Amino acid sequence: MPAKVLVTREIPEAGLRTLREAGFDVTVLSEAPPAREELLEAAEGAEGVLSTVTETIDGEFMEAAGDGLKVVANMAVGYDNVDLGAAGRGASSSPTPRRPRRDHGRRRVHAPARRGAAPRGGRAGPARGPVGVVGPEALHGPGRVGKRLGVVGLGRIGKAVARRARGFGMEVVYYNRSRKPEAERELGARRMELGELLETSDFVSVHTPLTEEAHHLIGAEELGRMKPRAVLVNTSRGPVVDEAALADALEAGNIFAAGLDVYEEEPKVHPKLLERENVVLAPHIGSGSIETRDKMAVLAAENIRAVLMGEPPKSPVEE
């Protein structure tokens, strides 16, 4: 009997083709995201699971799947939706290719610095756009040349954003649990404690994974330490930043602007943030190119194929 592989929602055909060509019995749930009951029912008997961030893969799910489950491959940058302790019998992978997300992080730095009003002004036209749209002080903000970028979480994406920042003549400092000597040599970056980074950086870009310690890592106290003309960017996970505190900081003028691609309760956005002209909001599209989503689906599928054929996963999560 071919091994059963559950795909928890529709994914690019390239990934499904990889699984089917391997001879697996592939079940794809059509509801996006699937109801919990449907997900647990479909898990029964699965030897491999290809999930996305909208599905919670926990002990209850593992129990529903049964003892035959060998691998969980998560089609996402992070894996905070997967209980790694419960998934210990198999593997959980994080297969997002690098380029689109790091480029998206760079754009999130640029757009809030221009107050994010240009797109609205362009659609509305000068007569109905933001106040003073044709004046010398319209849509302006802090430049990047010679400014300091503080990177919170210097993993592969954080390093890629830092490289691009260096191309704009920015100084790079970073906060990370451990030092990154190679990155320091390559980028001329300096490691700082989080408080000092926030107090001295002109732009702060967040790239840390979501863990218990990282929940609300950037809250009211941390925002209060930032410069009044500083820009905060979060393309990691929504709960790393306290949205309510961020909305208050933007409203009070404690920081200049923010750019967000992720939210605490996706797809919901804090209503105060929706009202702000000095925040740029994107609907979690950092990996949103056709090519990247295809690569994500294929890599997740290849992780499943490898494990079910007795080989090591291509991109295992290291706890």
Side-chain angles (χ1 to χ4, degrees):
M1 292 288 291
K4 176 182 175 180
V5 174
L6 171 64
V7 181
T8 57
R9 61 187 299 176
E10 295 285 351
I11 64 169
E13 181 59 32
L16 297 176
R17 185 166 57 248
T18 298
L19 294 171
R20 288 170 177 148
E21 288 178 353
F24 301 136
D25 176 13
V26 181
T27 298
V28 183
L29 300 184
S30 58
E31 185 180 350
R36 183 66 176 175
E37 296 76 12
E38 180 188 6
L39 181 66
L40 295 177
E41 183 178 346
E44 184 179 357
E47 294 183 44
V49 174
L50 196 159
S51 59
T52 72
V53 294
T54 57
E55 294 84 56
T56 299
I57 308 300
D58 55 9
E60 183 185 33
F61 179 93
M62 301 292 169
E63 187 174 329
D67 294 336
L69 182 62
K70 297 181 178 67
V71 55
V72 175
N74 203 43
M75 185 180 153
V77 174
Y79 46 88
D80 45 276
N81 60 305
V82 179
D83 183 338
L84 294 183
R89 73 186 79 179
S92 171
S93 59
S94 177
T96 296
R98 302 178 184 184
R99 182 179 180 88
R101 196 140 196 99
R102 65 198 186 192
D103 282 347
H104 193 61
R106 173 185 57 80
R107 289 193 293 270
R108 291 301 96 191
V109 168
H110 177 74
R114 297 298 178 265
R115 300 190 182 183
R120 290 189 292 276
R123 287 194 301 270
R128 291 178 295 169
V131 175
V133 71
V134 295
E137 294 190 353
L139 310 184
H140 72 312
R144 289 170 290 177
V145 177
K147 298 296 179 66
R148 173 176 287 182
L149 171 68
V151 179
V152 180
L154 200 67
R156 58 186 177 87
I157 296 176
K159 284 187 286 188
V161 170
R163 289 189 193 101
R164 284 153 173 75
R166 292 284 289 173
F168 284 101
M170 300 182 76
E171 176 194 5
V172 176
V173 298
Y174 74 96
Y175 167 74
N176 205 72
R177 286 185 299 178
S178 58
R179 282 194 62 189
K180 301 284 186 177
E182 290 185 10
E184 290 178 9
R185 288 191 292 270
E186 176 193 350
L187 303 168
R190 287 193 296 128
R191 183 175 181 268
M192 290 183 170
E193 291 303 315
L194 181 60
E196 184 183 4
L197 180 148
L198 294 171
E199 290 171 357
T200 63
S201 295
D202 302 291
F203 296 84
V204 176
S205 191
V206 182
H207 302 282
T208 184
L210 178 60
T211 62
E212 288 187 17
E213 295 79 11
H215 184 268
H216 283 188
L217 181 68
I218 308 296
E221 180 180 347
E222 289 74 24
L223 291 162
R225 301 180 74 163
M226 293 177 65
K227 294 181 177 182
R229 286 189 173 269
V231 174
L232 175 71
V233 175
N234 185 19
T235 58
S236 59
R237 283 291 183 262
V240 174
V241 174
D242 183 336
E243 283 186 13
L246 175 60
D248 290 341
L250 290 165
E251 185 176 12
N254 294 338
I255 66 172
F256 185 81
L260 305 176
D261 187 47
V262 289
Y263 308 95
E264 287 199 62
E265 298 182 12
E266 292 184 19
K268 297 178 182 178
V269 181
H270 194 287
K272 283 189 176 181
L273 292 176
L274 292 172
E275 299 169 0
R276 303 298 314 163
E277 290 284 340
N278 56 343
V279 59
V280 175
L281 306 172
H284 205 149
I285 56 172
S287 63
S289 72
I290 294 172
E291 294 82 2
T292 298
R293 294 285 169 84
D294 280 352
K295 289 178 181 178
M296 291 171 67
V298 168
L299 184 51
E302 286 179 344
N303 273 285
I304 291 174
R305 181 172 61 183
V307 173
L308 295 187
M309 291 186 172
E311 301 170 4
K314 293 180 177 293
S315 55
V317 168
E318 297 180 4
E319 295 186 64

